[in-house]
Structures are given as C-alpha cells and as structure tokens.
Amino acid sequence: MARIQITGGVPLNGTVEISGAKNAVLPILMASLLTDQPCQLHGVPHLKDVTTSIELLGRMGVLVSVGDRCAVGLDASGLHTQVAPYDLVKTMRASILVLGPLLARSGEAQVSLPGGCAIGARPVDLHLAGLSAMGADITVEGGYIKARAKRLKGARVVLDTVTVTGTENILMAATLAEGTTVIENAAQEPEVVDLAECLISMGARIRGHGSNTIVVEGRERLDGFDYTVIPDRIEAGTFLVAAAMTGGRVRTDNVRPDTLDAVLGKLRDAGAVITTGEDWIELDMQGRRPRAVDITTAPYPGFPTDMQAQFTALNAIADGTGVVRENVFENRFMHVLELQRLGANLLIEGNTVIIRGVERLTGAPLMATDLRASAGLVLAGLVAEGDTIVDRVYHIDRGYENIEEKLRQLGARVRRLAA
Ligand code: UD1
C-alpha cells in the first residue's frame, strides 16, 4: 500500500492552485442521470472518488469521456441499469447520490446500503424519508435500497438533521417531480448551492438554495449542462493550516474566500495575517508559532467538520490549550491516537478533544484512517522533527489531488513511497 514520507521542519512558502471541489463534483456528476442530453463538467479534480463515480455511472450505461483540462463529458441517454452495486458503494458513501436522480428519471433505483463507516454510523434514513414523502415506495432487501415511483410528487420535506447529501438527493429528485417540493432545514453548504446552480442551468426551477428552505418546482424534463465547479474550500483550508503550522507564507489561487469565513476567522485567531482577493487567499505566519484555538464543528456557515482534524493538528503544536468539539459526526477522532504517537498531548472526552500544545513533535510511522484525519496527520508530519511515514494514503487520494506534489511546490520535503 502506498505511503507518504514527510521530513518535517520546512516553513511552507509559495503559491498553490486549488482544485475543483470534490463535494460539488460528486453530486453534479450524478445529476447527469437526470437528463438524456449531453453534459460537460469543467474543473473536475483527479481524485479516487471521482474515478469511482465515473465507474459507477459507466456501469449504468452513462457514456463518460475524460477530456483535456479537467473536463468530463457525460451522456446518460443510453442509461440501461438502475443499480449501484455494493462493490462500489462500499468504497464511497456518496454513491447514494444516484438514488434521487435515478428514481426521478427512471422510476426505479437499487442502491446498496452504504453500511457503517469509519467516522460514525452515518445513516441514510433522512434521504429515504424525504423520497418516501414524495411518493416513493422504498424497501430494503438483501442489503439494497429498492425504490420505485411512477412519478415523484412534490412534497414538504422537513429534515430532522441538516444533511448535505440528503439535501442534494432530495433536491435532484424534486427537479423532475410533479408539483412543488419544499425542503426545510436544508443544508446551506456552498456545494449544495453549486449543485442547485448547475441544476438551474439545466432548466430546473429552484429558489432559496443557500438558505435553510429550498423550493423546487418540478419539470417534465431537464436539458444537459456545461458547467464549471466551484473550488475546493477544504483543500484550500488544509494548505492554509499547513502554512500556519509551519510558520510559513502561502497563497492559494482559485479559491472562493467567502466560503471560508469560519476557517479564516480561526486562522486569524491563531495569529495568521490573512489577505484576500476575489479568487485568492494569502496567509503569512511571519515565522511565529500559532496560538491555540477552540473549534466547534457545525453545518455551514459554521466551522466545517472536514477541517476539524487539521485544526486538531495545529493545536497540537500551538502555544496554549485548544478545545475541539465535534458536533457533526460521532467517532471522528481517529487521528487523535495517531497524533499522540508523534508526542502530541491530547485527551478525548466524549465529543471533545482537549489539546495542550507542545513545542515539538517527533516523526513516527502513522496510519491514515479516513480522508480528513489523514490530512491532519500529513500536516503534523510537516512540523515533526525527522521522518513521518503515513500509511494507507489511499484515504488522502480520495479527496486531495496530487497532495505531495502541491506540498513539494511549497518547499515541503514529501515523497510517495511505492507499495
Ligand atoms: C457530506 C460531505 C462530507 C462532510 C459532511 C458534513 C459529501 C460527499 N460529503 O457528507 O465531506 O463531512 O457532509 O459536512 O458531500 N445523518 C442522519 N441521517 C441521514 C443523513 C445524515 O442521521 O439520513 C446525520 C449523519 O450521521 C451526521 C449528520 O447527519 O451526523 C451530517 O451528515 P451529512 O451531512 O449527511 O454528511 P454526508 O452528506 O454524508
């Protein structure tokens, strides 16, 4: 299994280009199922989850062509199977995003239940409840969700918990339903907004996206799209934290600063000097050690759970004590025990980690456990003395495009070790 070796101690310096947002690309790729017209998506990052999505769509009969400059063409006119099989769903929970579009366009869908996940139970009950409210007949048999509906009907769907992919599934289904759907307590994440904008470009009638109430008037059919995805705010945030931890100065290009307010606020609290332009952010730590910061994760516009592990790593070497509260997912502290192996001082109490910053960490072999936890470990490796080797980097490859190459551009001593 491939590993990444990091020799710590270099302040990062330079400019890095941020890729398209994984969490916007995945639902938009699945939105191609809503139409028999050709679609083009630009700014698609080269990631394992993107490859998995393309494979999933291909198995259903979608023609996929990968072009130059991160463009992907999709043509679902020959859709012949409405099944998302276990072997793919188990490697990527976001496969559940085919459920709404398939059901809305074909009247049926069979999607393997994703099952447990390294970061907590992560059920899909709210996706199913929403589609049931729209008239779908849903059963679970042999590990598969089997859904049928002649034509979905608009409904009022109140989500008990804010769910990102749940909102996206119901939103996509509603675009082809008969009548008006109102999604209440909807997720407000920029990636949900991006999906809605893409759907609007296909002719969907949607308003309220970006607020907690989304209203969709269903249409008989949708056109194709030619759309460019938003930049990845989590990738950008990760590089900025890396700069802050190493006392460096880094500019991220191709970013949307307005989607990073909560993260930039915490980086400023940590002592970083931050300047922003329309599509760039520069962080200058001026060689200082970061101050500890308290974090509480929450749905957007709150502090993103996908940045929690990176800030836990920052607190590990910060001046003072930081308290990190994880409110979105249970069991998302897999990185904590690994950070202790580098000499970090952390204590888990329920959904909270108390981190007493230490002056130095020392390199050690580590095991990546999930996507964002792995990013936290790589960041810690950048400041640890000596060599840190992060094993199971396939987790990182699910969500970060060329992470070691981008870090190297900024001066980090990072290399991938072959399996
Ligand atoms: C998405 C993101 C992931 C991010 C997460 C939270 C994608 C592909 N992934 O994941 O990177 O960490 O949002 O910002 O966009 N829940 C239920 N029932 C459901 C659905 C969710 O109880 O039917 C709960 C979950 O267990 C969790 C919370 O709702 O506690 C939020 O999860 P959700 O927003 O659904 O996460 P994902 O959409 O899977």
Side-chain angles (χ1 to χ4, degrees):
M1 236 168 257
R3 294 164 297 159
I4 285 183
Q5 180 181 36
I6 308 139
T7 309
V10 183
L12 299 192
N13 204 319
T15 301
V16 62
E17 178 86 10
I18 299 304
S19 302
K22 169 180 90 73
N23 286 355
V25 167
L26 302 184
I28 294 176
L29 288 173
M30 307 315 186
S32 67
L33 291 166
L34 289 165
T35 177
D36 59 6
Q37 298 295 305
C39 300
Q40 275 286 330
L41 186 58
H42 305 272
V44 180
H46 187 63
L47 298 174
K48 185 77 186 74
D49 277 8
V50 170
T51 317
T52 305
S53 303
I54 288 175
E55 190 180 344
L56 180 58
L57 292 169
R59 284 209 211 169
M60 292 174 183
V62 180
L63 290 176
V64 184
S65 54
V66 180
D68 284 352
R69 299 165 60 86
C70 312
V72 171
L74 304 130
D75 180 347
S77 57
L79 182 70
H80 55 62
T81 317
Q82 285 78 24
V83 181
Y86 181 60
D87 65 313
L88 290 177
V89 176
K90 74 175 182 204
T91 67
M92 187 187 73
R93 275 184 49 87
S95 310
I96 190 73
L97 285 165
V98 299
L99 182 61
L102 280 179
L103 186 59
R105 169 142 166 247
S106 307
E108 59 174 319
Q110 283 190 38
V111 181
S112 171
L113 267 174
C117 169
I119 57 170
R122 295 185 88 176
V124 292
D125 54 320
L126 300 173
H127 302 230
L128 305 190
L131 295 170
S132 296
M134 296 170 76
D137 177 24
I138 299 180
T139 54
V140 176
E141 286 168 46
Y144 277 75
I145 300 161
K146 297 192 174 176
R148 283 181 178 280
K150 215 158 167 234
R151 184 167 179 206
L152 292 169
K153 293 196 169 40
R156 181 165 170 259
V157 176
V158 184
L159 296 168
D160 286 347
T161 307
V162 178
T163 158
V164 174
T165 48
T167 301
E168 292 166 344
N169 238 335
I170 296 160
L171 171 63
M172 287 191 277
T175 59
L176 289 179
E178 187 185 339
T180 303
T181 300
V182 180
I183 310 172
E184 299 208 27
N185 200 26
Q188 301 172 41
E189 267 66 5
E191 295 77 19
V192 176
V193 176
D194 206 38
L195 169 66
E197 290 295 339
C198 178
L199 293 169
I200 289 169
S201 79
M202 299 168 78
R205 296 201 181 109
I206 301 170
R207 57 181 199 273
H209 46 298
S211 79
N212 62 3
T213 306
I214 304 179
V215 181
V216 187
E217 283 169 50
R219 302 205 57 181
E220 296 264 344
R221 57 181 301 283
L222 295 179
D223 294 326
F225 59 77
D226 187 348
Y227 193 78
T228 302
V229 80
I230 52 165
D232 198 308
R233 63 194 165 101
I234 305 300
E235 189 197 9
T238 303
F239 279 103
L240 294 172
V241 174
M245 287 175 70
T246 58
R249 175 179 180 173
V250 167
R251 174 175 156 136
T252 52
D253 278 349
N254 185 38
V255 291
R256 283 255 315 266
D258 60 309
T259 62
L260 276 150
D261 284 346
V263 170
L264 297 184
K266 290 297 173 185
L267 286 168
R268 285 193 175 103
D269 291 349
V273 177
I274 292 176
T275 346
T276 60
E278 203 182 318
D279 62 355
W280 57 267
I281 301 172
E282 186 174 273
L283 181 145
D284 190 354
M285 205 61 195
Q286 297 168 344
R288 290 192 300 263
R289 180 182 176 197
R291 286 192 294 271
V293 285
D294 295 341
I295 299 292
T296 301
T297 67
Y300 193 84
F303 186 90
T305 174
D306 287 350
M307 286 299 302
Q308 180 259 104
Q310 298 87 320
F311 273 80
T312 303
L314 177 138
N315 277 330
I317 50 95
D319 182 13
T321 298
V323 177
V324 170
R325 254 185 215 95
E326 175 54 63
N327 279 344
V328 178
F329 289 115
E330 54 189 282
N331 198 13
R332 206 176 196 182
F333 288 143
M334 318 282 278
H335 46 290
V336 167
L337 296 176
E338 298 296 305
L339 289 173
Q340 283 172 343
R341 306 195 65 247
L342 301 179
N345 182 344
L346 313 106
L347 179 72
I348 302 180
E349 279 182 7
N351 73 338
T352 301
V353 194
I354 300 154
I355 308 129
R356 283 182 224 294
V358 294
E359 296 229 0
R360 57 186 212 113
L361 298 174
T362 43
L366 301 177
M367 192 78 85
T369 48
D370 70 57
L371 168 54
R372 304 306 170 183
S374 322
L377 301 184
V378 170
L379 298 192
L382 292 172
V383 290
E385 279 173 20
D387 289 344
T388 296
I389 295 177
V390 181
D391 202 348
R392 301 200 177 164
V393 294
Y394 61 86
H395 287 293
I396 304 181
D397 296 335
R398 286 190 42 220
Y400 291 89
E401 188 175 39
N402 293 334
I403 188 162
E404 73 272 22
E405 218 173 289
K406 290 188 182 186
L407 284 170
R408 264 203 305 272
Q409 271 170 33
L410 299 173
R413 288 176 290 185
V414 181
R415 64 190 182 115
R416 189 169 286 239
L417 306 175

